[in-house]
Amino acid sequence: MTWSQMQPLLEQASWETLIMVGWSTLIAVVVGLPLGVLLVLTDRGGLLQNVVVNKVIGQVVNIGRSMPFIILMVALMSFTRWVTGTTIGSEAAIVPLAIGGIPFFARLVETAVREVDGGLVEAVQSMGGNTWTIVRKVLVPEALPSLIASTTTTVIALIGYSAMAGTVGGGGLGDLAVRYGYQRFEPDFMWITVALLAVAISLIQFAGDYAARTLHRRGGRGGAAPRLRLLRAKEPAAADVGKVA
């Protein structure tokens, strides 16, 4: 197969992979972020301690993470057909990709949030900050570099899942590698596909690492301290109101 024949196929497959990974990552982050934070908040000693809720969420996440993706795709075929109307193509592949990415990202979020200095949480609590304020002003901002790194890891994992989805008609670069590289004995096509995936993963990893390092440096220069100073600045005002009353 010549390059002129390969090019349109590769362009279409790359676009399908981008759509699959992009949408599934978005869904995984939107659902997995609050799920991971909730795992920390409901744990023993957490701000919303609830052992039963924590165990239930933890077990659901563990089951989702432990299931091989190819089995997950097969198990979700009925649900995928109900959501998208089909089990073939890039749109159908988004469903199992997103469901597989949610527990994966949630555990990474849990790990990132647990690394936040507990002293910052106690300081905001002593100033009267509620749980929502602590999550919004301390936990998520302080864990942001780690969350960026977690998102990068999730994207790379979903690229691998998307290639696996191609083996069962999910479309994308994985589908091309199987149909042309393996079934039609076009090794050049397969190696080009492998090279494209390797380049994409390298670029995503570089961008994620750069963003995480940049946020970490900015946090080190002006992270928690200015926010705590701003919160403390509100205390005198509250005290003055009390005196006037």
Side-chain angles (χ1 to χ4, degrees), residues 4-26:
S4 60
Q5 294 173 313
M6 292 182 187
Q7 186 175 1
L9 294 173
L10 289 170
E11 290 176 354
Q12 178 64 25
S14 298
W15 178 246
E16 290 175 353
T17 298
L18 179 63
I19 291 174
M20 286 190 292
V21 174
W23 278 107
S24 57
T25 299
L26 179 62

Side-chain angles (χ1 to χ4, degrees), residues 14 17 152 155-156 159 173 190-208:
S14 298
T17 298
T152 303
V155 171
I156 292 173
I159 290 175
L173 292 171
M190 178 177 288
W191 286 115
I192 291 174
T193 304
V194 171
L196 285 175
L197 289 172
V199 169
I201 289 172
S202 297
L203 290 174
I204 291 169
Q205 188 68 63
F206 173 80

Side-chain angles (χ1 to χ4, degrees), residues 47-130:
L47 298 173
L48 300 175
Q49 178 175 319
N50 190 317
V51 178
V52 175
V53 172
N54 184 268
K55 292 296 183 183
V56 171
I57 297 175
Q59 285 300 317
V60 171
V61 170
N62 288 339
I63 292 171
R65 288 186 63 203
S66 63
M67 188 173 296
F69 180 71
I70 192 70
I71 297 177
L72 181 65
M73 284 193 66
V74 175
L76 291 173
M77 277 188 174
S78 298
F79 179 70
T80 301
R81 185 181 292 109
W82 178 73
V83 173
T84 64
T86 182
T87 58
I88 299 174
S90 57
E91 291 183 1
I94 291 173
V95 176
L97 282 172
I99 293 176
I102 288 170
F104 183 84
F105 185 69
R107 280 302 184 191
L108 295 177
V109 171
E110 180 189 12
T111 301
V113 172
R114 287 190 189 281
E115 293 176 353
V116 176
D117 185 3
L120 298 177
V121 175
E122 294 174 0
V124 175
Q125 280 182 308
S126 67
M127 299 173 204
N130 57 24

Side-chain angles (χ1 to χ4, degrees), residues 123-171:
V124 175
Q125 280 182 308
S126 67
M127 299 173 204
N130 57 24
T131 301
W132 172 242
T133 300
I134 292 171
V135 171
R136 188 166 55 93
K137 296 290 187 181
V138 178
L139 295 182
V140 173
E142 290 300 310
L144 194 55
S146 295
L147 292 177
I148 294 295
S150 299
T151 303
T152 303
T153 303
T154 303
V155 171
I156 292 173
L158 289 175
I159 290 175
Y161 289 169
S162 71
M164 198 182 304
T167 63
V168 291

